[in-house]
Amino acid sequence: MENSSLEQVLQDAKLHRQINSLIVAHLRDNNLYQAASVVASATMTSLNDEAPPNKLLELVAKGLAVEKDEMLRGVPSSAFDLGTSIPSGYGSIPAPRTAAVDFGAVQETKGSSKSFPKHETRHLSEHKNIARCARFSPDGKFVATGSSDTSIKLFEVAKIKQMMLPDARDARDGPVRPVIRTFYDHLQPINDLDFHPQNTVLISGSKDNTINKTCLHAPLILPFLVLCCFFSSSPSNITSISCKTKQEFTSNSYDTHNVRSVSFHPSGDFLLAGTDHPIPHLYDINTFQCYLSANAPEINDNGAINQVRYSATGGMYVTASKDGTIRLWDGVTANCVRSIAGAHGTAEATSANFTKDQRFVLSSGKDSTVKLWEVGTGKLVKQYLGATHTQLRCQAVFNDTEEFVLSIDEPTNEIVIWDALTAEKVAKWPSNHIGAFRWLEHSPTEAAYVTCGTDRSIRFWKESL
């Protein structure tokens, strides 16, 4: 027992020496010589230890991505107690209500469709102009909406549910108000939103060509500085990247585009932006620098990105483009590893999302189809038909258990729901919006979703108990 304990102590000491060495090398390589010298002296670490450039960033990014993947799969957290405090209002992600659907395991599924549970709905709030987009926080406790009026509304889901109760009142016996805050920090309409995976930070992309980083616990608005770089290896390997400033790029205008879509890396250190430019822009959220792939494929002028989304571990990301192509990108090298040309015929591909196991991508397009693609082969696995969407930049989404697919029927102004495995349409509900609604976003943790309408309104839907 004593030998085992001694061995553990020695292993821990070795690990601490390695960590100290990486911290010193990281500070030194980023020209923080005084800080590197202080840490080296305090930890008795050599100031000249060799380490691969940005090795510490790479390990941290990989570790956080694995942690995120384990949380999604319900795997217990590591035995290491790092004393990490969770920000107020940000709880751990609940275990999924059911295991992820294996679309590759079932061949013949006709006649076995499930019934989509009944939902109740409530008008939440209104923007002053069209409600354009929505996003839930990773733990499902908050939802944010963006509008053409340039505003962003932040809602607390628990208060929304309380508001839906009969004669709901808050602790002070007043009406329940689920809107926590409203932000007016853009100059033009909001296109997309995303929450930081660990911290109370919200990112917004806008037609005003900016990405704003908003701290939800304080009025901190940080518009991204626009610096463009090309990288040919890991995005974190910034020391080997040839960087150019905005002024050097004005003729190419890589950094002056409408920001159409945003997606956080699972580590929270990087952010993807899909813009009117055909190549996804990768941002370091700490330095606000922007990187472009040095090995991007040739894409025509109609390749603007409608949506970009990371996979659960950050190992890949997917783009849906105006040229109708779905493109899969390596999350480390930023190389385009597969292009599904004409995924939606000659019509725009308007949305694309990975399944939880990262083996499939769900896409929708203005050809009025929703399709499921196998990531490894680019093969079409399923089609979900029966909803017409040809005008708005609508999207298709899974419910939280991936048992159902939801999308929009523009002519009838209805929500269309399919069984994800059988591809059979199982429900069609009035949206209760006046006129077409343009966005549907499902909670990642429970049977609830929001819809955003051209009538300026936001509606919340939850399973009836």
Side-chain angles (χ1 to χ4, degrees):
M1 181 69 71
E2 290 181 358
N3 289 339
S4 175
S5 177
L6 177 60
E7 183 178 350
Q8 183 63 50
V9 169
L10 293 174
Q11 288 178 350
D12 289 348
K14 182 179 178 181
L15 179 61
H16 278 89
R17 287 196 300 273
Q18 290 174 325
I19 292 173
N20 292 336
S21 179
L22 287 171
I23 291 172
V24 170
H26 172 75
L27 294 170
R28 181 196 66 217
D29 293 344
N30 283 274
N31 300 321
L32 300 172
Y33 298 112
Q34 184 175 359
S37 179
V38 170
V39 174
S41 176
T43 60
M44 293 182 290
T45 302
S46 171
L47 190 59
N48 300 312
D49 279 354
E50 291 297 323
N54 288 286
K55 182 65 175 179
L56 181 61
L57 287 179
E58 179 184 341
L59 291 174
V60 171
K62 288 181 178 179
L64 289 172
V66 169
E67 182 183 53
K68 173 78 171 181
D69 182 50
E70 290 178 344
M71 291 172 71
L72 289 171
R73 294 186 288 111
V75 177
S77 59
S78 168
F80 286 102
D81 182 8
L82 302 179
T84 305
S85 61
I86 299 174
S88 175
Y90 252 60
S92 59
I93 298 175
R97 293 193 296 142
T98 186
V101 175
D102 185 357
F103 295 97
V106 181
Q107 300 299 322
E108 184 56 49
T109 56
K110 288 185 178 179
S112 58
S113 297
K114 298 179 180 178
S115 296
F116 191 68
K118 291 290 185 183
H119 282 53
E120 56 184 303
T121 183
R122 174 71 182 264
H123 173 273
L124 283 188
S125 182
E126 283 190 3
H127 286 278
K128 296 175 183 177
N129 206 322
I130 295 170
R132 294 174 55 84
C133 58
R135 202 70 173 267
F136 280 89
S137 61
D139 59 5
K141 292 185 177 181
F142 302 94
V143 63
T145 61
S147 169
S148 292
D149 67 7
T150 75
S151 73
I152 297 169
K153 288 180 182 286
L154 179 67
F155 300 85
E156 186 175 351
V157 172
K159 287 187 177 180
I160 295 174
K161 293 178 180 177
Q162 184 182 354
M163 184 183 73
M164 296 177 74
L165 296 173
D167 300 320
R169 297 279 173 177
D170 66 13
R172 292 169 295 182
D173 202 35
V176 178
R177 302 186 185 279
V179 179
I180 300 174
R181 294 184 68 180
T182 302
F183 303 95
Y184 292 94
D185 302 300
H186 283 283
L187 300 177
Q188 291 192 40
I190 313 299
N191 287 324
D192 200 9
L193 303 159
D194 198 12
F195 285 85
H196 191 282
Q198 288 95 30
N199 301 323
T200 51
V201 169
L202 180 69
I203 290 290
S204 53
S206 168
K207 281 189 174 183
D208 61 11
N209 304 342
T210 67
I211 303 170
N212 274 358
K213 174 183 175 183
T214 306
C215 179
L216 303 181
H217 281 175
L220 173 64
I221 311 298
L222 297 174
F224 272 32
L225 303 178
V226 188
L227 297 169
C228 284
C229 313
F230 290 99
F231 61 86
S232 56
S233 56
S234 169
S236 62
N237 189 15
I238 57 176
T239 57
S240 66
I241 298 169
S242 172
C243 296
K244 295 178 181 285
T245 65
K246 178 179 179 181
Q247 286 73 19
E248 292 174 291
F249 266 114
T250 51
S251 61
N252 297 63
S253 67
Y254 288 137
D255 47 12
T256 57
H257 293 296
N258 169 23
V259 182
R260 306 167 71 89
S261 183
V262 289
S263 179
F264 262 117
H265 185 277
S267 69
D269 289 329
F270 298 99
L271 174 82
L272 279 172
T275 71
D276 284 344
H277 188 262
I279 308 301
H281 293 191
L282 179 77
Y283 286 87
D284 183 318
I285 70 163
N286 298 305
T287 65
F288 307 127
Q289 284 186 311
C290 172
Y291 305 95
L292 298 175
S293 173
N295 302 306
E298 290 291 331
I299 302 175
N300 62 40
D301 294 337
N302 195 34
I305 297 170
N306 282 323
Q307 192 165 82
V308 59
R309 292 292 185 261
Y310 265 114
S311 65
T313 61
M316 297 188 76
Y317 52 95
V318 61
T319 54
S321 299
K322 290 189 73 173
D323 63 5
T325 303
I326 301 296
R327 294 181 177 88
L328 295 161
W329 306 75
D330 187 294
V332 176
T333 66
N335 290 332
C336 181
V337 296
R338 186 174 304 282
S339 292
I340 306 174
H344 290 274
T346 59
E348 294 182 30
T350 54
S351 74
N353 286 281
F354 284 94
T355 53
K356 294 176 183 178
D357 62 9
Q358 307 172 90
R359 294 172 56 201
F360 302 92
V361 164
L362 183 73
S363 72
S364 65
K366 289 187 176 180
D367 61 344
S368 299
T369 66
V370 176
K371 298 181 178 181
L372 189 71
W373 307 90
E374 188 174 42
V375 169
T377 63
K379 175 184 174 183
L380 177 63
V381 178
K382 296 183 185 295
Q383 288 194 78
Y384 305 91
L385 305 175
T388 301
H389 33 88
T390 60
Q391 303 299 317
L392 301 175
R393 191 155 58 98
C394 302
Q395 61 176 22
V397 298
F398 284 108
N399 74 323
D400 62 309
T401 62
E402 294 188 342
E403 295 172 287
F404 299 96
V405 173
L406 295 80
S407 192
I408 295 167
D409 186 77
E410 291 174 348
T412 62
N413 193 20
E414 291 179 313
I415 300 165
V416 182
I417 302 146
W418 296 267
D419 182 290
L421 273 180
T422 67
E424 182 180 355
K425 188 162 56 176
V426 295
K428 201 171 183 181
W429 296 343
S431 72
N432 292 325
H433 287 278
I434 301 172
F437 68 108
R438 59 177 300 131
W439 197 279
L440 190 156
E441 188 77 13
H442 204 285
S443 168
T445 60
E446 61 178 329
Y449 59 92
V450 294
T451 53
C452 299
T454 54
D455 61 356
R456 308 180 299 176
S457 70
I458 305 149
R459 300 196 70 88
F460 184 85
W461 304 69
K462 73 178 185 70
E463 184 175 343
S464 303
L465 300 178

